Amino acid sequence: MPAKYWDWYLVLPMLVATVAMFGLQTVNAGDLKSGLQVDEYPPAFYVTDITGPAASTKLCYRCQYGARPVVSVFVRGMDENTTKLVKELDAVVAKNSGKKMAAFVTVLSEDPDAQEAALKKIANDNKIAHTPLTVFENNVGPAKYNIAKDASVTVMMWVDSNVKVNHALPAGKLTAEEIAKIVKDTEKILN
């Protein structure tokens, strides 16, 4: 073969492999950016409370909780792992009631009414008593929060209206290890 063809013969497989590697790369938990980032201000947004003290009411938990230490969880659905996460966060909130810690979960849904029965059952079955389960009326989330479409779970923690922690996970990545990291990070908002 002439030299110019020989060079392409060697380079082409490497080029194809490189393109395939980057083209098929999936989003890793650490690579996904979703929600408010550290040092950002959490603006007001309204949800429909399903299991909290204002059940069946539209309200702003962000507004009600003010400068308190808050864990805000956005999910696209409540599966076994998200329920485990919420249950563990609920226990942390109960343990830190003296520090006025608060939390709420926002399920993003195009059909929020369809979520009501399932969320009530999850709260009841898992004894989730300190963390209201709420719904937001679309699957995009509040505009200023920038919830990534690839994020199955986005957890933000703030205190004094300043985000201190952000975790964003694609579908299937909320493992026991990730849940433990998120729960441990609540220490960062408890002064």
Side-chain angles (χ1 to χ4, degrees):
M1 265 187 217
K4 64 180 179 181
Y5 295 112
W6 179 250
D7 292 341
W8 276 108
Y9 179 74
L10 291 174
V11 173
L12 189 59
M14 288 186 292
L15 183 61
V16 169
T18 302
V19 170
M21 181 176 73
F22 286 108
L24 298 175
Q25 189 175 30
T26 58
V27 177
N28 292 320
D31 298 337
L32 183 60
K33 278 186 106 172
S34 179
L36 301 171
Q37 301 301 303
V38 172
D39 290 329
E40 290 187 331
Y41 173 85
F45 68 97
Y46 287 82
V47 294
T48 301
D49 191 356
I50 303 299
T51 67
S56 301
T57 305
K58 200 167 195 158
L59 74 158
C60 175
Y61 271 116
R62 160 62 188 107
C63 304
Q64 285 195 353
Y65 292 153
R68 294 165 60 178
V70 176
V71 179
S72 176
V73 182
F74 286 86
V75 299
R76 301 209 181 269
M78 292 289 291
D79 62 14
E80 184 178 329
N81 288 337
T82 54
T83 299
K84 183 176 191 286
L85 170 65
V86 173
K87 187 174 178 178
E88 290 193 29
L89 290 171
D90 192 60
V92 174
V93 171
K95 184 174 140 187
N96 290 285
S97 62
K99 295 181 180 182
K100 299 192 184 284
M101 184 181 188
F104 65 106
V105 175
T106 304
V107 177
L108 303 175
S109 176
E110 291 297 333
D111 188 4
D113 293 336
Q115 303 292 323
E116 187 172 342
L119 292 177
K120 285 180 179 178
K121 180 171 176 24
I122 288 168
N124 188 50
D125 291 353
N126 292 279
K127 296 178 180 29
I128 298 169
H130 307 283
T131 305
L133 304 182
T134 72
V135 292
F136 191 80
E137 294 182 0
N138 68 45
N139 61 9
V140 177
K144 294 180 180 179
Y145 277 70
N146 301 316
I147 305 298
K149 64 179 176 153
D150 294 334
S152 177
V153 178
T154 302
V155 180
M156 292 162 279
M157 300 181 202
W158 59 76
V159 63
D160 296 326
S161 300
N162 186 21
V163 175
K164 301 291 185 188
V165 175
N166 175 294
H167 289 270
L169 300 161
K173 297 294 183 180
L174 184 61
T175 61
E177 181 181 275
E178 290 295 329
I179 290 170
K181 282 184 202 173
I182 293 167
V183 171
K184 178 148 181 52
D185 275 354
T186 59
E187 295 170 1
K188 294 178 180 177
I189 60 169
L190 294 169
N191 301 336

